Amino acid sequence: LDARVLITVVNGTGTNNDELSVCESPVVVTCGDWKWTTDDRKRSGWQSDQAGSLIRFRLKVSEVPTMSLTYMTSHSTFGNFRVSFQPISKAAMTPLMGCSEVAKFENQTLLPSMGLEGRRQHYSLWDTFIFPGKLDSNDHIANKLMENVQDKMEESKDIEYIDMYVLNDNYYGHEKRVKIQTVTSC
């Protein structure tokens, strides 16, 4: 996945800066201010400073998908974010989630998701969270999220991709930056 290949979607219309369609693009900013940036310490990644910003990463997956997300944690300006997965059927094109769907992240019945913490006591360090396909995480919420993904994959039987959505979830407080370095699947 070359995370620098980007198509921005604003109000449901894609602006194509490559040969890829919105559906084929590995990364789509569907709402808000996500941008590829490198800071003064040469740490590159997708960064958002605006609450409610939503980005989609399209991942090719196996029958028992395991996905990981590497993100910056820091003592200054960094905050929380939420992750959700949408298996994509070959037969039925699933529409992109946009600004109007951000509220669904608050309702686990409408959109199962998991919150991750980007704030730490000292220093700025990368952290990686693994979403295991074998449901053997020490995190109960991660297992429930992946169980939901597997249920959808069993229903459809033709899942080749999973869309990972990341939402800057910082509506309260001053820490609001989220930075994603890598997203992987196997």
Side-chain angles (χ1 to χ4, degrees), residues 107-176:
N107 184 331
Q108 291 296 312
T109 303
L110 286 176
L111 183 65
S113 64
M114 178 179 172
L116 291 172
E117 176 65 50
R119 184 137 175 94
R120 67 172 46 240
Q121 291 286 69
H122 305 285
Y123 313 109
S124 295
L125 300 170
W126 293 110
D127 198 357
T128 299
F129 194 90
I130 297 172
F131 299 91
K134 293 186 179 181
L135 307 178
D136 56 359
S137 173
N138 290 332
D139 190 300
H140 173 71
I141 296 171
N143 287 336
K144 291 294 283 179
L145 187 57
M146 290 305 293
E147 185 176 359
N148 179 273
V149 167
Q150 288 180 357
D151 289 348
K152 288 181 180 178
M153 290 179 75
E154 286 178 20
E155 287 172 18
S156 182
K157 300 287 187 210
D158 70 342
I159 303 296
E160 186 177 5
Y161 294 96
I162 292 181
D163 285 348
M164 176 190 286
Y165 284 92
V166 179
L167 172 72
N168 182 332
D169 195 31
N170 293 289
Y171 292 101
Y172 310 104
H174 301 296
E175 298 82 24
K176 60 182 184 173

Side-chain angles (χ1 to χ4, degrees), residues 6 22 29 45-47 49 55 59 84 95-96 113 116 133 148 165-166:
L6 167 68
V22 170
V29 175
W46 284 100
Q47 182 172 299
D49 291 305
I55 190 169
L59 304 168
S84 183
L96 287 171
S113 64
L116 291 172
N148 179 273
Y165 284 92
V166 179

Side-chain angles (χ1 to χ4, degrees), residues 30-131:
T30 64
C31 183
D33 74 337
W34 287 97
K35 61 193 167 295
W36 181 264
T37 185
T38 302
D39 62 23
D40 56 352
R41 291 183 169 174
K42 308 288 188 234
R43 297 176 299 199
S44 296
W46 284 100
Q47 182 172 299
S48 168
D49 291 305
Q50 178 184 355
S53 293
L54 187 63
I55 190 169
R56 186 220 64 193
F57 298 95
R58 176 146 295 173
L59 304 168
K60 190 169 180 82
V61 294
S62 64
E63 290 180 22
V64 183
T66 294
M67 293 164 282
S68 70
L69 176 73
T70 301
Y71 57 98
M72 176 62 70
T73 60
S74 181
H75 57 93
S76 67
T77 72
F78 282 75
N80 302 336
F81 60 98
R82 298 197 72 75
V83 177
S84 183
F85 300 107
Q86 296 295 310
I88 304 301
S89 168
K90 291 179 194 174
M93 288 308 297
T94 306
L96 287 171
M97 285 195 286
C99 295
S100 61
E101 281 83 25
V102 166
K104 291 180 181 178
F105 277 82
E106 298 297 319
N107 184 331
Q108 291 296 312
T109 303
L110 286 176
L111 183 65
S113 64
M114 178 179 172
L116 291 172
E117 176 65 50
R119 184 137 175 94
R120 67 172 46 240
Q121 291 286 69
H122 305 285
Y123 313 109
S124 295
L125 300 170
W126 293 110
D127 198 357
T128 299
F129 194 90
I130 297 172
F131 299 91

